[in-house]
Amino acid sequence: MRRDVFQAIADPTRRAIILMLVVGAMTPNAIAEHFDSSRQAVSKHLRILTECDVLSKEQQGREIHYHLNADKLKDIEKWLEQFKQLMAKRFDQLDTVLEQLKSKRK
Amino acid sequence: MRRDVFQAIADPTRRAIILMLVVGAMTPNAIAEHFDSSRQAVSKHLRILTECDVLSKEQQGREIHYHLNADKLKDIEKWLEQFKQLMAKRFDQLDTVLEQLKSKRK
DNA sequence: TGTGTGCGAAACCAATTGGTTGCGCAAGTT
DNA sequence: AACTTGCGCAACCAATTGGTTTCGCACACA
């Protein structure tokens, strides 16, 4: 199974969970309350998010606190940055083309 | 089926295709050459990417030119921005807490 | 010690994914 | 007119997803 940030944020429920946990750690029950699906379904998402290294568990008595590994989301930014740099390069090339057209015109 | 940018970038092959098409439009065959899987497999990815509104087709004779809809990727940035703002707010709250601790200490 | 609660694990399900091969059409080429 | 090429489509497949319900364990509390 592919387990990376991109997989983690592919699902809307998981994106919502991530945003919820920015503020602070939460237990599965507390998280599940905010969704229509069952606690177990949410727990599955939590498992996937943990496997993607986006979340970490912390047992406290019989409760488990899931908290966000915010750094992991930087992988998305990294890819986006790569994309933007290519875009910039593309426009540079376009600039070159325009430059050539200009010099031809005179 | 879910058809959004997050779905589009969930697959590594699709991410690679996106990066390839930043530079300029390409035909399915030209794209498929860069991958190990079959042309049809790549074509499936192209279909998904088009459905996700990340790519557009342009027929030219018997060739089809796929080109990038770069704007669509802004949806990712938007979500990331939302995330960052929540993070900032969280730190603001932390600041408030630290502030309170400081005033208590005197 | 019994009872309620928080949780993961397992079994099951239909739908989707990501790949394959085979086919056929339409546009070019000879 | 016959062949080649570029491409999408359909059928098939195993694996994964996202959900469910049932179960059982461990902790907390009476």
Side-chain angles (χ1 to χ4, degrees), chain B residues 25-28 50 55-68:
Chain B
M26 288 177 80
T27 65
T50 318
L55 260 47
S56 321
K57 301 196 227 182
E58 191 198 352
Q59 189 104 25
Q60 267 183 33
R62 72 180 154 182
E63 292 186 344
I64 295 179
H65 292 260
Y66 283 89
H67 50 89
L68 190 66

Side-chain angles (χ1 to χ4, degrees), chain B residues 38-67:
Chain B
S38 70
R39 178 187 58 82
Q40 283 90 337
V42 172
S43 248
K44 268 197 175 182
H45 284 301
L46 292 174
R47 200 167 78 85
I48 292 175
L49 284 167
T50 318
E51 284 171 4
C52 290
D53 224 42
V54 170
L55 260 47
S56 321
K57 301 196 227 182
E58 191 198 352
Q59 189 104 25
Q60 267 183 33
R62 72 180 154 182
E63 292 186 344
I64 295 179
H65 292 260
Y66 283 89
H67 50 89

Side-chain angles (χ1 to χ4, degrees), chain B:
Chain B
M1 291 157 266
R2 223 171 325 108
R3 284 298 180 251
D4 54 25
V5 212
F6 301 100
Q7 191 65 20
I9 63 160
D11 183 89
T13 306
R14 288 201 287 272
R15 283 199 299 279
I17 292 176
I18 291 175
L19 290 186
M20 285 179 61
L21 293 184
V22 168
V23 180
M26 288 177 80
T27 65
N29 265 326
I31 298 169
E33 273 174 15
H34 298 270
F35 298 97
D36 287 333
S37 48
S38 70
R39 178 187 58 82
Q40 283 90 337
V42 172
S43 248
K44 268 197 175 182
H45 284 301
L46 292 174
R47 200 167 78 85
I48 292 175
L49 284 167
T50 318
E51 284 171 4
C52 290
D53 224 42
V54 170
L55 260 47
S56 321
K57 301 196 227 182
E58 191 198 352
Q59 189 104 25
Q60 267 183 33
R62 72 180 154 182
E63 292 186 344
I64 295 179
H65 292 260
Y66 283 89
H67 50 89
L68 190 66
N69 198 349
D71 263 11
K72 196 67 186 183
L73 292 188
K74 282 185 184 159
D75 287 3
I76 307 170
E77 275 195 304
K78 256 188 243 169
W79 184 80
L80 227 58
E81 206 49 52
Q82 204 178 337
F83 165 76
K84 280 190 207 163
Q85 283 192 7
L86 275 172
M87 282 292 286
K89 207 181 282 179
R90 182 184 81 154
F91 281 121
D92 281 356
Q93 289 178 352
L94 189 63
D95 279 353
T96 318
V97 172
L98 291 176
E99 204 61 32
Q100 286 170 350
L101 284 172
K102 207 162 91 184
S103 49
K104 241 184 247 172
R105 229 183 292 136
K106 0 171 187 167

